[in-house]
Amino acid sequence: MNAKVISAIFRRNFHSYFSNPTGYVFICLFVWLCTGAAFFPNEFFNANLANLDQLNASISYVLLLFIPAITMSIWADERRLGTDELLLTMPAADLDVVLGKYLAAVAIFTVSLLFSLFSTLGVLYTLGQPDLGLFLTNFFGYWVMGLAMLAIGMVASFLTGNLTVAFILGLVFNAPLVMFNRAMDFTTNTQVASTLKEWSMDGQFRDFARGVISFSSLVYYFAIVGVALYLCMVLIGRRHWASGQDGKSLFGHYLLRLLALSVVAISAVVIFKAIPLHADTTANQLNTLSSGTREILKKLDPKRPVKIHAYVSPAVPQDYVQQRSDLLSLLRELESLGKGNVTVQVEEIEPLTEAARRAEQQYDIKPRRVVSRDRGAIRDQEIYMGVAFESGMQKVVVPFIDRNLPVEYELARSIATVNQEERKRVGVLKTGAEMFSGFDFSGGMPRQRQEQQIITELKKQYEVIEVDPTNAITEKYDVLLAIQPSSLNPVQMANFVEAVRNGQKTAVFEDPRPAWFGVVGTADPNRPQGGMMGMGAQPPEPKGDIKQLWNLLGIELEQKGSLLGAAEPIVVSQTYNPHKTIEGLSQVPPQLVFIDSEVPGAAPFNREDPTSMYLQEVLLPFVGALTKQEGATTNFIPLIRTGTRTGMIPSSQLMQQSDDPLANQVQGTGVSYVVAARVTGKPGKVDAAKKGKSATKAKVADDGKLKTENAKMEDAGSPEKLKSDAAKAAATSTEAAKKDDTKAAGIGKVKAGEEPPVDVVVVSDIDFIHDTFFALRAQQEADLALVFDNVTFVLNIVDDLAGEKRFTEVRSRRPAHRPLTAVENRMEKIHSERSEKIEELQAELNQEIEKTKSARSKSREAYLKKIEQLQKGDVKLSEIRDARTALELQESLEEQNFSTGISEVQRKYQDTVKKTSEDVLLQMRNIQDDYKRWAVIIPPLLPLAIGLLVFFRRRASEREGVSRARLK
């Protein structure tokens, strides 16, 4: 290899390309195509992400047009000009010639790509704060893909001396590897289509598109380069062996060499594909699996490999773009780290296709109908985002990955579940809160009862069993769920309490005032039984004494005297609402208790307990308050507590409220109430003399103690600190798991005759596990931004009590993508101006109402004054009658004026709301169109300006020294 020859050929080809204005025209066209593909599609603004997803989807087609424009002159131009003979007579090997020309083509392509890089990066920084690691990895992927296509294009150039033919051949030779990505359009064989797609240019680029530098993909692209360059050397050297020695051709010999090299290249790609060498370059590590998921993959049974079938729509609405991206990225990461134990097959399917029918028949995966906005227009479409997991005889299906579903958790849990032969068992106590499907006869005519979604969710991981407490509970469960146990009769209550006393790990959900479940509150009697069509109803079944459970655990629901004088559980209210800016949530009653990291006056979440350490926000409707009984020997560990902007009301008084607000009878307390707690240790007898005082009252009397407790919880770690230091949070979780394991080991060591220790989590609410929160988790409107951790908290409780330490951290992960902040800020300003106009109209409407009320008040005051004068004898009765008639007439006229005025204001109000809504949509379109125009127009200007400069300089150089007469 002669470096001087390679350098000379490189400089000659590189200089000739950039000394010609035609080269800059092609660069200008390339930049225009890249920026147009990246920013012009509506999907870019619909996705609201500062990335290059749209360009990633079409970059192979852009390169398919641009690369042949570079390679067509590599050798064809030499033949056309007759300079090929000069090159071949140089004292250089064929390899030197090929490398010199290839490196020149690479340099030309690299310069073109740099023009596009700085252009697109400038546009993205104008629109938001892109992830620089993701961005540069995308362009590195474009570069290595271009290297492979350049080598193939050079082969085409060595076959002909015609530039046009060389361009067409370069396009044709590269087309198969590009079009393999659309194999599903050409074959119905899923396996063949999947294989071809995997070996396509786009298939190998997928890792780069998600911000991962994959070593196996690099081997794929450079293997193509090696094979193609060797073929170029063969084509140059054929002048030596075309006729062969003794008249025999060596074509077969070199063909065999080429096939052998191709086999070696393919084998190298297959080998390195099995080795998970890659680097996640994204700023937020979007493609990196958590330590819990990695641990699950390490412990998979190799005798039971997991097969994953994912069915995903090729295009989804804005609200689902991030979810789809996370799903596909994590699936590839799972397959990469699964080391053969996890295989993934992804099918992009549309409704009413053969693949769609197969997904429904095999896994009951159906499309979900979603409503979205595209540039303001309402779109109703059906999309797929379902995943099925199989291992041996086990199967788990996630029919649809909802918007706010933690994707990594769903995947990791499903893999772990299907790979294990036996599932842990969760018992659900049969109470008045019906959790399972069946028929309900309590209201007369039988009605079909649907299974609660929390049960459906638990069945994805556990064997869920309904437990009837009518008989003694002798069977041990990994966890026992008791939802509203106060509805049990005396026998059932005694059996349940005995099970807890015997060391059964239990999660208790007891609500003083259930709002959404068809069950009575803690202090209310059960409803009448049976009866058809309201006839023959039996007296209500007596309730067991829930105090048996409270005394065993050493806790109680805080109580307050009601209007009837008897003490009963309170319902907590809180005036803190972090979602007042969301329409429809600004006037929620204070009994809907929002608890997040910003709640004033207390550290809301216990950051030392694994059930609550990662929580960010929960919503508890009509929640009670828990407190420790004085003299109790158990450990009372608060998990969730309210802030201090609180009040309380006896539960029965909520039933006496009329239409207006529930806060009328709320008594402000300013106390931080515990609404969820963990009770551990050995139960002991409670001193009856001390039992009258509640721990909460003691806290109110001693503010210093409350502050000390809050300070301890704050020291455990704030959510912000956990976000910024994930490693510390993971270490804390591991340490907590070790403590729990030690504690669990201690539970088993019970001396004969002693009561075993209890491990019970108590939550003073059942509405927070209602199906409503599953619906919120699957909400379609991204503007609501309601992401509550209610479901996460329940699953954390069950997992921790069952000894499942693998999913707590994974379940709480929320990948942070980079939005288009510039567009969001402009739209926020527009929405703010719209809100101000609506508020002005509302104020005008209120002013009109007050004006009419004031006029009525003056008229009535004049009438009452006449009555007073009549009593004093100052006026006659006839004058009173006249005043009464005048008042009625005036009130009638005022009523007409009032109705007319109000109607006019209301009409104006409605018209303005409609007009402002239309204006917002119009301005949104205008903003997007403005960005589109500038993103497509400005970037090509720089290479165009340089091309014009080169053109005029070259033109001036050609005219230099030529007489004016000849120029004419």
Side-chain angles (χ1 to χ4, degrees):
M1 185 183 296
N2 192 330
K4 290 184 177 180
V5 173
I6 294 174
S7 175
I9 295 174
F10 168 82
R11 284 185 279 107
R12 176 175 175 271
N13 282 264
F14 184 78
H15 182 267
S16 65
Y17 189 90
F18 285 102
S19 63
N20 190 335
T22 306
Y24 292 96
V25 172
F26 281 112
I27 293 176
C28 185
L29 178 62
F30 175 68
V31 172
W32 180 76
L33 287 174
C34 287
T35 53
F39 307 116
F40 204 78
N42 293 334
E43 287 76 12
F44 174 74
F45 290 98
N46 290 341
N48 193 36
L49 296 176
N51 60 26
L52 298 175
D53 282 352
Q54 310 310 315
L55 178 56
N56 292 340
S58 55
I59 185 62
S60 59
Y61 301 103
V62 173
L63 295 180
L64 187 61
L65 293 175
F66 180 65
I67 293 296
I70 296 176
T71 59
M72 65 181 181
S73 60
I74 289 291
W75 192 254
D77 206 33
E78 301 283 3
R79 284 190 175 183
R80 184 177 63 86
L81 298 174
T83 55
D84 58 329
E85 294 295 335
L86 178 63
L87 281 175
L88 295 176
T89 55
M90 289 178 61
D94 294 343
L95 177 62
D96 298 336
V97 176
V98 171
L99 283 181
K101 286 189 167 293
Y102 178 69
L103 292 177
V106 170
I108 294 168
F109 172 64
T110 302
V111 171
S112 305
L113 202 60
L114 287 175
F115 273 108
S116 178
L117 184 149
F118 289 113
S119 300
T120 52
L121 185 62
V123 174
L124 284 179
Y125 267 109
T126 302
L127 295 172
Q129 292 292 324
D131 186 329
L132 193 58
L134 174 62
F135 178 86
L136 294 178
T137 302
N138 289 167
F139 266 88
F140 180 69
Y142 304 159
W143 186 70
V144 293
M145 185 192 296
L147 297 189
M149 296 178 75
L150 284 170
I152 295 174
M154 279 185 60
V155 174
S157 185
F158 275 103
L159 291 175
T160 180
N162 186 292
L163 293 179
T164 304
V165 174
F167 177 87
I168 295 174
L169 288 178
L171 191 151
V172 171
F173 288 176
N174 276 294
L177 289 177
V178 173
M179 300 309 295
F180 280 169
N181 188 54
R182 303 188 62 86
M184 291 295 294
D185 296 339
F186 310 111
T187 178
T188 57
N189 189 314
T190 306
Q191 188 62 40
V192 172
S194 179
T195 302
L196 291 176
K197 188 173 182 178
E198 185 67 26
W199 284 85
S200 69
M201 289 286 185
D202 284 293
Q204 296 296 323
F205 174 75
R206 282 199 298 262
D207 284 336
F208 296 100
R210 61 192 180 95
V212 174
I213 297 178
S214 171
F215 189 70
S216 63
S217 296
L218 290 177
V219 172
Y220 168 84
Y221 289 121
F222 285 115
I224 293 176
V225 172
V227 172
L229 292 185
Y230 179 76
L231 182 56
C232 289
M233 290 174 54
V234 171
L235 293 175
I236 286 184
R238 64 179 174 175
R239 66 188 186 279
H240 302 302
W241 52 261
S243 298
Q245 296 179 357
D246 302 328
K248 296 181 179 179
S249 174
L250 297 178
F251 176 79
H253 171 76
Y254 281 98
L255 178 61
L256 186 61
R257 279 190 179 188
L258 184 64
L259 291 176
L261 182 62
S262 301
V263 171
V264 171
I266 294 172
S267 301
V269 175
V270 173
I271 291 172
F272 284 104
K273 183 176 175 59
I275 303 175
L277 293 177
H278 56 267
D280 185 358
T281 63
T282 58
N284 297 318
Q285 295 294 285
L286 300 177
N287 308 291
T288 302
L289 297 176
S290 67
S291 57
T293 304
R294 289 172 177 267
E295 192 66 24
I296 290 171
L297 294 176
K298 287 180 182 179
K299 294 182 178 180
L300 289 179
D301 185 357
K303 296 180 181 179
R304 297 170 53 84
V306 179
K307 298 180 180 179
I308 303 178
H309 303 269
Y311 298 92
V312 184
S313 293
V316 296
Q318 171 185 346
D319 297 349
Y320 290 90
V321 170
Q322 292 186 18
Q323 201 76 340
R324 181 183 184 275
S325 174
D326 291 340
L327 173 61
L328 296 179
S329 178
L330 290 172
L331 284 174
R332 290 188 61 82
E333 196 71 8
L334 287 169
E335 185 177 33
S336 176
L337 296 180
K339 298 180 179 180
N341 292 329
V342 178
T343 57
V344 177
Q345 180 178 334
V346 179
E347 287 193 54
E348 293 187 348
I349 62 174
E350 298 280 6
L352 303 177
T353 60
E354 182 64 28
R357 185 172 64 176
R358 187 170 56 252
E360 183 173 355
Q361 289 177 347
Q362 294 181 359
Y363 306 110
D364 197 29
I365 292 178
K366 303 175 182 178
R368 173 77 61 86
R369 184 174 295 278
V370 297
V371 179
S372 62
R373 288 184 178 272
D374 182 2
R375 291 171 59 83
I378 301 296
R379 292 182 59 189
D380 187 358
Q381 63 185 108
E382 291 184 334
I383 64 172
Y384 283 89
M385 209 177 297
V387 188
F389 305 80
E390 292 180 311
S391 179
M393 299 300 293
Q394 296 283 348
K395 182 168 69 173
V396 172
V397 177
V398 182
F400 192 84
I401 304 291
D402 291 316
R403 284 189 58 244
N404 296 310
L405 205 65
V407 180
E408 184 180 348
Y409 162 67
E410 284 292 325
L411 300 179
R413 178 182 64 175
S414 300
I415 289 173
T417 301
V418 298
N419 190 251
Q420 63 189 21
E421 294 186 5
E422 294 185 4
R423 302 188 186 188
K424 292 189 175 183
R425 301 193 311 158
V426 172
V428 180
L429 200 67
K430 188 176 182 180
T431 65
E434 300 288 354
M435 306 300 293
F436 292 86
S437 60
F439 288 95
D440 185 3
F441 298 93
S442 61
M445 293 295 293
R447 64 179 180 85
Q448 179 71 33
R449 186 176 61 244
Q450 297 295 325
E451 183 176 82
Q452 293 291 327
Q453 290 195 44
I454 185 62
I455 302 298
T456 306
E457 187 75 12
L458 289 173
K459 285 182 177 179
K460 295 178 181 178
Q461 181 178 349
Y462 296 98
E463 181 184 355
V464 181
I465 305 166
E466 188 173 28
V467 179
D468 189 350
T470 303
N471 301 313
I473 305 174
T474 57
E475 195 170 357
K476 281 288 184 179
Y477 301 94
D478 293 286
V479 185
L480 181 63
L481 264 62
I483 301 170
Q484 204 67 4
S486 63
S487 61
L488 299 174
N489 64 34
V491 174
Q492 295 170 336
M493 179 65 73
N495 290 332
F496 168 55
V497 173
E498 187 63 23
V500 178
R501 189 188 307 277
N502 291 333
Q504 172 65 64
K505 292 189 175 183
T506 309
V508 177
F509 303 92
E510 179 62 36
D511 197 328
R513 179 57 59 202
W516 300 335
F517 278 90
V519 62
V520 297
T522 304
D524 300 327
N526 281 327
R527 298 190 179 95
Q529 307 176 71
M532 295 293 289
M533 301 296 291
M535 303 294 290
Q538 301 297 318
E541 186 177 31
K543 274 187 165 186
D545 188 1
I546 191 68
K547 292 182 181 178
Q548 297 177 51
L549 178 63
W550 299 153
N551 291 339
L552 174 66
L553 300 178
I555 65 172
E556 60 187 0
L557 280 176
E558 183 150 359
Q559 297 184 336
K560 176 74 175 178
S562 66
L563 295 176
L564 301 177
E568 60 184 48
I570 66 167
V571 172
V572 176
S573 64
Q574 182 174 260
T575 57
Y576 174 71
N577 180 1
H579 302 289
K580 287 185 177 180
T581 57
I582 298 178
E583 188 175 353
L585 287 181
S586 58
Q587 300 296 328
V588 297
Q591 279 75 32
L592 295 182
V593 178
F594 296 92
I595 300 177
D596 64 8
S597 58
E598 304 298 327
V599 65
F605 303 116
N606 186 339
R607 299 299 180 186
E608 293 183 346
D609 194 279
T611 62
S612 56
M613 67 185 307
Y614 294 109
L615 299 183
Q616 297 183 31
E617 182 179 5
V618 295
L619 172 60
L620 299 162
F622 305 92
V623 64
L626 298 170
T627 183
K628 182 179 181 180
Q629 296 179 359
E630 290 199 5
T633 59
T634 51
N635 301 315
F636 181 78
I637 306 169
L639 299 178
I640 300 179
R641 66 194 319 160
T642 67
T644 53
R645 296 181 186 175
T646 54
M648 51 77 64
I649 182 174
S651 58
S652 64
Q653 293 184 23
L654 287 173
M655 305 299 294
Q656 302 168 11
Q657 300 292 318
S658 55
D659 301 326
D660 194 31
L662 297 170
N664 286 346
Q665 300 177 18
V666 171
Q667 177 184 346
T669 58
V671 173
S672 177
Y673 293 99
V674 176
V675 295
R678 190 169 200 148
V679 180
T680 61
K682 294 183 179 180
K685 294 182 180 180
V686 179
D687 189 347
K690 296 181 179 180
K691 191 175 173 183
K693 289 187 176 182
S694 67
T696 303
K697 293 179 180 178
K699 286 183 220 165
V700 175
D702 186 4
D703 292 337
K705 185 176 179 182
L706 175 62
K707 292 178 181 179
T708 302
E709 290 184 4
N710 288 339
K712 287 180 180 179
M713 293 183 74
E714 288 170 354
D715 290 339
S718 64
E720 291 78 9
K721 191 174 182 181
L722 290 171
K723 290 179 184 177
S724 63
D725 193 357
K728 183 177 179 181
T732 305
S733 177
T734 304
E735 187 63 28
K738 290 180 180 178
K739 291 180 181 178
D740 292 333
D741 292 339
T742 304
K743 177 181 64 180
I747 288 176
K749 299 176 181 179
V750 181
K751 294 181 180 179
E754 288 188 4
E755 288 186 347
V758 297
D759 189 4
V760 179
V761 174
V762 184
V763 182
S764 56
D765 188 31
I766 66 172
D767 294 318
F768 89 111
I769 62 174
H770 191 261
D771 289 353
T772 300
F773 291 98
F774 285 88
L776 281 175
R777 192 173 66 166
Q779 61 185 306
Q780 297 177 14
E781 292 295 333
D783 294 340
L784 288 177
L786 295 176
V787 183
F788 298 118
D789 289 329
N790 291 35
V791 178
T792 298
F793 183 45
V794 180
L795 298 178
N796 285 352
I797 292 172
V798 175
D799 278 2
D800 192 64
L801 290 174
E804 283 283 4
K805 312 297 183 184
R806 301 174 292 177
F807 304 121
T808 304
E809 180 192 359
V810 181
R811 190 182 290 122
S812 303
R813 290 193 73 189
R814 294 176 181 173
H817 296 265
R818 305 291 182 92
L820 302 176
T821 52
V823 179
E824 287 183 344
N825 292 338
R826 290 184 64 176
M827 290 306 303
E828 185 178 349
K829 183 178 180 181
I830 293 171
H831 281 295
S832 177
E833 293 174 352
R834 175 179 179 268
S835 298
E836 290 177 1
K837 290 181 180 179
I838 293 176
E839 287 176 2
E840 290 175 1
L841 287 173
Q842 186 66 50
E844 185 179 343
L845 181 62
N846 295 337
Q847 185 177 3
E848 189 70 25
I849 294 173
E850 290 299 326
K851 181 179 177 182
T852 305
K853 286 182 178 180
S854 176
R856 287 181 175 180
S857 178
K858 290 180 180 179
S859 301
R860 187 158 294 278
E861 286 177 3
Y863 174 70
L864 294 176
K865 189 174 183 181
K866 291 283 186 182
I867 296 292
E868 185 180 350
Q869 290 175 347
L870 175 63
Q871 293 174 347
K872 294 179 180 179
D874 296 338
V875 295
K876 297 179 181 180
L877 183 59
S878 58
E879 295 180 16
I880 296 296
R881 290 173 180 169
D882 294 340
R884 176 64 181 175
T885 303
L887 176 63
E888 291 176 350
L889 178 60
Q890 185 173 354
E891 286 184 341
S892 176
L893 292 173
E894 288 171 354
E895 182 66 30
Q896 293 179 10
N897 293 335
F898 175 76
S899 300
T900 303
I902 295 301
S903 299
E904 180 63 24
V905 174
Q906 287 179 337
R907 184 189 61 77
K908 184 178 178 182
Y909 176 83
Q910 293 171 355
D911 290 346
T912 304
V913 170
K914 181 180 179 181
K915 185 176 182 303
T916 52
S917 299
E918 293 173 351
D919 289 343
V920 167
L921 296 178
L922 181 61
Q923 291 183 64
M924 179 183 70
R925 288 190 178 188
N926 291 337
I927 290 172
Q928 294 180 3
D929 289 341
D930 286 343
Y931 281 122
K932 284 182 180 182
R933 281 191 292 268
W934 292 116
V936 174
I937 293 174
I938 293 179
L941 294 182
L942 179 59
L944 181 62
I946 296 175
L948 290 175
L949 179 62
V950 170
F951 171 75
F952 287 116
R953 286 191 61 182
R954 184 170 179 174
R955 187 70 182 272
S957 177
E958 291 173 350
R959 295 162 65 96
E960 187 175 348
V962 180
S963 64
R964 291 181 177 274
R966 293 183 59 188
L967 289 174
K968 292 180 180 179

